[in-house]
Amino acid sequence: MNQQYDLVIVGGGMVGAATALALADSSLNIALLERNLPESFSVDQPLDLRVSALSPASIELLDRLDVWKTITAQRACPYRRMRVWELDEDAEGLIGKAARACATEFNSAEIGLDQLGYIVENRLIQRALLDKLALCEQVTLITDGVVSIDYSAGATLVELDSGESLIARLLVAGDGGESMVRQAAALGAHQWDYGQMAMVINVATADSQQDITWQQFNPSGPRALLPLPGNNASLVWYDSPERVQALLAMDLLSLQQEILHSFPARLGAIEAIHGRAAFPLRRMHAQHYVAEGVALLGDAAHQINPLAGQGVNLGFQDVEVFAEVILEAIGQGESPGSLAVLKRYENRRRKANLLMMQTMDFFYRAFSNHQTSLKVARNLLLGAAGFAKPLRNKALRVASGIDRF
Ligand SMILES: Cc1cc2nc3c(=O)[nH]c(=O)nc-3n(C[C@H](O)[C@H](O)[C@H](O)COP(=O)(O)OP(=O)(O)OC[C@H]3O[C@@H](n4cnc5c(N)ncnc54)[C@H](O)[C@@H]3O)c2cc1C
């Protein structure tokens, strides 16, 4: 017999697991499918290569879900400042002076916050959510793989590799950019490849710079630092696929030399490289987030350039709105999987996500252009943003999830 659920969530990553937890106290009978369970935390565990800069709004959600204390008791690094620039600030004389004038620095104190956010390992966020879910009677965690999904409004059949099948009244995609759910429900997607890769490298640095994230734009792509607990950092190096493949193939000593040569001088000396990995840069936006009996959340609905660290923050905003809409519908006696209910979620999230994606693309394209006139214009813009406090504060409040555009 097929097991019936009110809600089946495919993908128990950060977004899928948060969705299950946000609805765990409702009357819904929930199955969460996750095929790769993350390891439990231990103090001597190496730092995960996948880390996220979490906004205050995301932290609030994790706190409400009662997992934030667990995460901070393990490992998390708060940051208070964020600096963005293009020209060489360490150059001598007038050039250096002009470069420093064109840099923009954001500070949490300017918008009355203790910090702009925290950098946290993805594995710890996912694990804390899954551990909390294990205590919820209404949620069943299933670790079998999905063989096929036969979408049918209000009664989707999900076949597992164990031979069992589930019937979902409402099916939710938390299964990331390659979403099987999105494809099964034929929700469509606009997507393209930026023709670049993002290489992440975890390092131990000689200098402490644990209260700041920074990003320097270069003709071949940005170079960024995200602080991690201790004197550790996650470096992000955007470059062509060929260059990134060459960096991945290097021995650690040669890679260290390349980093010192290519990153701004403020990085200082590197004492060790803990690990490296690379990800293709692509943008994807689902044409529809919902249909009768199905909804997409997080990367299954949108993949954004990681330039400003917004991907999972947008995903958590999806979770927030989705849970609110579903709980309200249940309270009013409506069917949570009906198209009318799910459209309320789509209407509140699709445009907002699109606007953030377009803003990131604007910055990415403006700073990837080599024309001198554009270079002057964008540096003047950065400089002006540095001086224009209201503009800077608005950008900060939007990035923090406090304000909408
Ligand atoms: C280099 C880089 C840096 C980034 N930095 C940031 C940042 O600083 N801040 C930020 O907000 N975002 C950042 N992001 C984006 C962020 O990582 C993603 O937005 C986030 O991981 C999306 O979470 P998700 O749960 O929607 O999807 P995913 O993380 O892709 O999780 C999907 C889950 O579904 C599971 N799954 C998939 N298919 C199936 C199946 N058929 N059956 C069962 N399980 C399945 C997978 O195992 C996985 O656990 C970054 C991305 C990159 C590439």
Short mmCIF file of all heavy atoms in Angstrom, two decimals, residues 2-10 29-31 33 149-159 165-173 181 292-295 337:
data_model
loop_
_atom_site.label_atom_id
_atom_site.label_comp_id
_atom_site.label_asym_id
_atom_site.label_seq_id
_atom_site.Cartn_x
_atom_site.Cartn_y
_atom_site.Cartn_z
N ASN A 2 0.45 2.24 -0.81
CA ASN A 2 1.19 3.50 -0.80
C ASN A 2 0.90 4.28 0.47
O ASN A 2 -0.25 4.39 0.86
CB ASN A 2 0.77 4.35 -2.01
CG ASN A 2 1.10 3.65 -3.31
OD1 ASN A 2 2.07 2.91 -3.38
ND2 ASN A 2 0.28 3.87 -4.32
N GLN A 3 1.95 4.81 1.07
CA GLN A 3 1.80 5.62 2.28
C GLN A 3 1.33 7.02 1.87
O GLN A 3 1.94 7.62 0.97
CB GLN A 3 3.18 5.70 2.95
CG GLN A 3 3.20 6.35 4.29
CD GLN A 3 2.75 5.39 5.38
OE1 GLN A 3 2.95 4.19 5.29
NE2 GLN A 3 2.11 5.95 6.39
N GLN A 4 0.27 7.52 2.51
CA GLN A 4 -0.26 8.85 2.14
C GLN A 4 0.24 9.92 3.11
O GLN A 4 0.26 9.68 4.32
CB GLN A 4 -1.79 8.83 2.24
CG GLN A 4 -2.44 8.05 1.15
CD GLN A 4 -3.63 8.84 0.58
OE1 GLN A 4 -3.86 9.97 0.96
NE2 GLN A 4 -4.37 8.23 -0.32
N TYR A 5 0.62 11.06 2.60
CA TYR A 5 1.03 12.20 3.44
C TYR A 5 0.31 13.45 2.97
O TYR A 5 0.06 13.63 1.77
CB TYR A 5 2.54 12.43 3.35
CG TYR A 5 3.35 11.36 4.05
CD1 TYR A 5 3.80 10.23 3.37
CD2 TYR A 5 3.66 11.48 5.41
CE1 TYR A 5 4.54 9.25 4.03
CE2 TYR A 5 4.39 10.50 6.07
CZ TYR A 5 4.83 9.39 5.37
OH TYR A 5 5.55 8.42 6.03
N ASP A 6 0.04 14.36 3.94
CA ASP A 6 -0.52 15.67 3.56
C ASP A 6 0.54 16.47 2.81
O ASP A 6 0.24 17.21 1.89
CB ASP A 6 -0.92 16.47 4.81
CG ASP A 6 -1.98 15.75 5.63
OD1 ASP A 6 -2.90 15.18 5.01
OD2 ASP A 6 -1.86 15.72 6.87
N LEU A 7 1.78 16.30 3.28
CA LEU A 7 2.88 17.10 2.72
C LEU A 7 4.12 16.21 2.57
O LEU A 7 4.55 15.59 3.54
CB LEU A 7 3.18 18.25 3.70
CG LEU A 7 4.35 19.18 3.39
CD1 LEU A 7 4.19 19.85 2.04
CD2 LEU A 7 4.44 20.26 4.48
N VAL A 8 4.66 16.15 1.35
CA VAL A 8 5.94 15.46 1.13
C VAL A 8 6.92 16.52 0.66
O VAL A 8 6.67 17.23 -0.32
CB VAL A 8 5.81 14.33 0.08
CG1 VAL A 8 7.18 13.77 -0.27
CG2 VAL A 8 4.90 13.22 0.58
N ILE A 9 8.05 16.63 1.37
CA ILE A 9 9.09 17.59 0.99
C ILE A 9 10.26 16.79 0.43
O ILE A 9 10.84 15.96 1.13
CB ILE A 9 9.56 18.42 2.20
CG1 ILE A 9 8.35 19.14 2.84
CG2 ILE A 9 10.64 19.44 1.78
CD1 ILE A 9 8.68 19.83 4.16
N VAL A 10 10.60 17.03 -0.83
CA VAL A 10 11.76 16.34 -1.42
C VAL A 10 12.96 17.26 -1.21
O VAL A 10 12.99 18.39 -1.70
CB VAL A 10 11.55 16.05 -2.92
CG1 VAL A 10 12.76 15.30 -3.48
CG2 VAL A 10 10.29 15.22 -3.13
N ASN A 29 0.49 15.87 8.25
CA ASN A 29 1.30 14.67 8.36
C ASN A 29 2.39 14.79 7.28
O ASN A 29 2.09 14.82 6.10
CB ASN A 29 0.29 13.52 8.10
CG ASN A 29 0.91 12.19 7.96
OD1 ASN A 29 2.00 11.98 8.46
ND2 ASN A 29 0.21 11.28 7.28
N ILE A 30 3.66 14.91 7.73
CA ILE A 30 4.73 15.35 6.80
C ILE A 30 5.80 14.27 6.59
O ILE A 30 6.25 13.64 7.55
CB ILE A 30 5.44 16.61 7.36
CG1 ILE A 30 4.41 17.73 7.60
CG2 ILE A 30 6.56 17.09 6.44
CD1 ILE A 30 4.96 18.95 8.34
N ALA A 31 6.23 14.07 5.34
CA ALA A 31 7.41 13.23 5.07
C ALA A 31 8.49 14.13 4.48
O ALA A 31 8.21 14.94 3.59
CB ALA A 31 7.06 12.12 4.07
N LEU A 33 12.14 13.92 2.59
CA LEU A 33 13.06 13.00 1.92
C LEU A 33 14.42 13.64 1.76
O LEU A 33 14.55 14.68 1.09
CB LEU A 33 12.52 12.64 0.53
CG LEU A 33 11.09 12.12 0.43
CD1 LEU A 33 10.77 11.74 -1.02
CD2 LEU A 33 10.93 10.91 1.31
N ILE A 149 8.89 10.66 -9.94
CA ILE A 149 7.79 11.46 -9.39
C ILE A 149 6.74 11.56 -10.49
O ILE A 149 7.02 12.04 -11.58
CB ILE A 149 8.27 12.87 -8.99
CG1 ILE A 149 9.33 12.79 -7.87
CG2 ILE A 149 7.10 13.74 -8.54
CD1 ILE A 149 9.95 14.11 -7.49
N ASP A 150 5.55 11.09 -10.16
CA ASP A 150 4.45 11.17 -11.14
C ASP A 150 3.48 12.23 -10.63
O ASP A 150 2.64 11.95 -9.76
CB ASP A 150 3.80 9.79 -11.26
CG ASP A 150 2.77 9.75 -12.37
OD1 ASP A 150 2.64 10.76 -13.08
OD2 ASP A 150 2.08 8.71 -12.50
N TYR A 151 3.64 13.45 -11.16
CA TYR A 151 2.83 14.57 -10.65
C TYR A 151 1.37 14.44 -11.04
O TYR A 151 1.05 14.18 -12.21
CB TYR A 151 3.39 15.90 -11.17
CG TYR A 151 2.44 17.05 -10.95
CD1 TYR A 151 2.19 17.54 -9.67
CD2 TYR A 151 1.78 17.65 -12.03
CE1 TYR A 151 1.29 18.58 -9.46
CE2 TYR A 151 0.89 18.69 -11.82
CZ TYR A 151 0.65 19.15 -10.53
OH TYR A 151 -0.24 20.16 -10.33
N SER A 152 0.52 14.61 -10.04
CA SER A 152 -0.91 14.64 -10.30
C SER A 152 -1.51 15.53 -9.22
O SER A 152 -1.27 15.31 -8.02
CB SER A 152 -1.45 13.21 -10.21
OG SER A 152 -2.83 13.25 -10.04
N ALA A 153 -2.24 16.59 -9.63
CA ALA A 153 -2.71 17.59 -8.67
C ALA A 153 -3.38 16.95 -7.46
O ALA A 153 -4.39 16.26 -7.60
CB ALA A 153 -3.70 18.52 -9.38
N GLY A 154 -2.78 17.12 -6.28
CA GLY A 154 -3.40 16.65 -5.04
C GLY A 154 -3.14 15.19 -4.72
O GLY A 154 -3.52 14.71 -3.65
N ALA A 155 -2.46 14.44 -5.61
CA ALA A 155 -2.17 13.01 -5.33
C ALA A 155 -0.93 12.58 -6.12
O ALA A 155 -0.98 11.66 -6.92
CB ALA A 155 -3.37 12.16 -5.71
N THR A 156 0.18 13.26 -5.86
CA THR A 156 1.41 12.94 -6.59
C THR A 156 2.04 11.66 -6.05
O THR A 156 2.13 11.47 -4.83
CB THR A 156 2.40 14.13 -6.50
OG1 THR A 156 1.83 15.23 -7.17
CG2 THR A 156 3.74 13.79 -7.12
N LEU A 157 2.47 10.80 -6.96
CA LEU A 157 3.08 9.53 -6.56
C LEU A 157 4.60 9.68 -6.60
O LEU A 157 5.19 10.03 -7.62
CB LEU A 157 2.64 8.44 -7.56
CG LEU A 157 3.16 7.04 -7.27
CD1 LEU A 157 2.48 6.44 -6.04
CD2 LEU A 157 2.94 6.12 -8.48
N VAL A 158 5.24 9.40 -5.44
CA VAL A 158 6.70 9.49 -5.35
C VAL A 158 7.23 8.08 -5.12
O VAL A 158 6.93 7.46 -4.09
CB VAL A 158 7.13 10.42 -4.19
CG1 VAL A 158 8.66 10.52 -4.12
CG2 VAL A 158 6.51 11.80 -4.34
N GLU A 159 8.00 7.57 -6.07
CA GLU A 159 8.53 6.20 -5.94
C GLU A 159 9.95 6.25 -5.39
O GLU A 159 10.79 7.01 -5.90
CB GLU A 159 8.56 5.53 -7.31
CG GLU A 159 7.22 4.88 -7.67
CD GLU A 159 7.40 4.00 -8.89
OE1 GLU A 159 7.41 4.58 -10.00
OE2 GLU A 159 7.57 2.78 -8.72
N SER A 165 6.35 3.48 -2.13
CA SER A 165 5.86 4.68 -2.80
C SER A 165 5.08 5.53 -1.81
O SER A 165 4.48 5.00 -0.86
CB SER A 165 4.92 4.32 -3.94
OG SER A 165 5.60 3.56 -4.88
N LEU A 166 5.10 6.83 -2.03
CA LEU A 166 4.33 7.76 -1.20
C LEU A 166 3.34 8.50 -2.08
O LEU A 166 3.62 8.75 -3.25
CB LEU A 166 5.26 8.81 -0.56
CG LEU A 166 6.58 8.37 0.05
CD1 LEU A 166 7.35 9.58 0.55
CD2 LEU A 166 6.32 7.41 1.20
N ILE A 167 2.22 8.86 -1.47
CA ILE A 167 1.27 9.73 -2.18
C ILE A 167 1.26 11.07 -1.44
O ILE A 167 1.07 11.09 -0.22
CB ILE A 167 -0.17 9.17 -2.15
CG1 ILE A 167 -0.22 7.77 -2.75
CG2 ILE A 167 -1.15 10.14 -2.80
CD1 ILE A 167 -0.59 7.71 -4.19
N ALA A 168 1.50 12.14 -2.19
CA ALA A 168 1.55 13.47 -1.56
C ALA A 168 0.34 14.29 -1.96
O ALA A 168 0.10 14.50 -3.14
CB ALA A 168 2.82 14.19 -2.01
N ARG A 169 -0.40 14.78 -0.95
CA ARG A 169 -1.49 15.74 -1.28
C ARG A 169 -0.85 17.05 -1.73
O ARG A 169 -1.30 17.67 -2.66
CB ARG A 169 -2.37 15.97 -0.05
CG ARG A 169 -3.20 14.78 0.28
CD ARG A 169 -4.42 15.13 1.15
NE ARG A 169 -5.09 13.90 1.45
CZ ARG A 169 -4.84 13.16 2.54
NH1 ARG A 169 -3.98 13.57 3.42
NH2 ARG A 169 -5.47 12.01 2.72
N LEU A 170 0.20 17.44 -1.00
CA LEU A 170 0.96 18.63 -1.40
C LEU A 170 2.43 18.22 -1.47
O LEU A 170 2.97 17.65 -0.51
CB LEU A 170 0.75 19.75 -0.36
CG LEU A 170 1.64 20.99 -0.48
CD1 LEU A 170 1.55 21.63 -1.86
CD2 LEU A 170 1.25 22.03 0.58
N LEU A 171 3.06 18.49 -2.59
CA LEU A 171 4.48 18.14 -2.79
C LEU A 171 5.29 19.43 -2.78
O LEU A 171 4.94 20.39 -3.48
CB LEU A 171 4.64 17.44 -4.15
CG LEU A 171 6.03 16.97 -4.51
CD1 LEU A 171 6.44 15.78 -3.63
CD2 LEU A 171 6.10 16.53 -5.98
N VAL A 172 6.37 19.45 -1.98
CA VAL A 172 7.20 20.66 -1.91
C VAL A 172 8.61 20.31 -2.40
O VAL A 172 9.17 19.29 -2.01
CB VAL A 172 7.23 21.22 -0.47
CG1 VAL A 172 8.41 22.16 -0.27
CG2 VAL A 172 5.93 21.98 -0.20
N ALA A 173 9.15 21.19 -3.24
CA ALA A 173 10.53 21.00 -3.72
C ALA A 173 11.47 21.79 -2.83
O ALA A 173 11.42 23.01 -2.78
CB ALA A 173 10.64 21.51 -5.16
N VAL A 181 11.50 17.71 -8.69
CA VAL A 181 10.08 18.09 -8.52
C VAL A 181 9.69 19.12 -9.57
O VAL A 181 8.64 19.02 -10.21
CB VAL A 181 9.85 18.66 -7.09
CG1 VAL A 181 8.43 19.20 -6.95
CG2 VAL A 181 10.15 17.62 -6.04
N GLU A 292 -1.30 23.40 -8.82
CA GLU A 292 -2.18 22.71 -7.86
C GLU A 292 -1.40 21.55 -7.21
O GLU A 292 -0.85 20.69 -7.91
CB GLU A 292 -3.40 22.18 -8.63
CG GLU A 292 -4.42 21.43 -7.81
CD GLU A 292 -5.46 22.36 -7.16
OE1 GLU A 292 -5.70 23.46 -7.69
OE2 GLU A 292 -5.99 21.95 -6.12
N GLY A 293 -1.28 21.57 -5.89
CA GLY A 293 -0.65 20.44 -5.18
C GLY A 293 0.88 20.42 -5.22
O GLY A 293 1.47 19.42 -4.82
N VAL A 294 1.52 21.50 -5.66
CA VAL A 294 3.00 21.49 -5.69
C VAL A 294 3.55 22.91 -5.54
O VAL A 294 2.95 23.88 -6.03
CB VAL A 294 3.53 20.82 -6.99
CG1 VAL A 294 3.15 21.57 -8.24
CG2 VAL A 294 5.04 20.65 -6.95
N ALA A 295 4.67 23.02 -4.81
CA ALA A 295 5.30 24.34 -4.62
C ALA A 295 6.82 24.19 -4.58
O ALA A 295 7.34 23.19 -4.08
CB ALA A 295 4.81 24.97 -3.32
N GLY A 337 -3.08 22.61 -0.30
CA GLY A 337 -2.51 22.35 -1.63
C GLY A 337 -3.28 23.01 -2.77
O GLY A 337 -2.91 22.84 -3.94
#
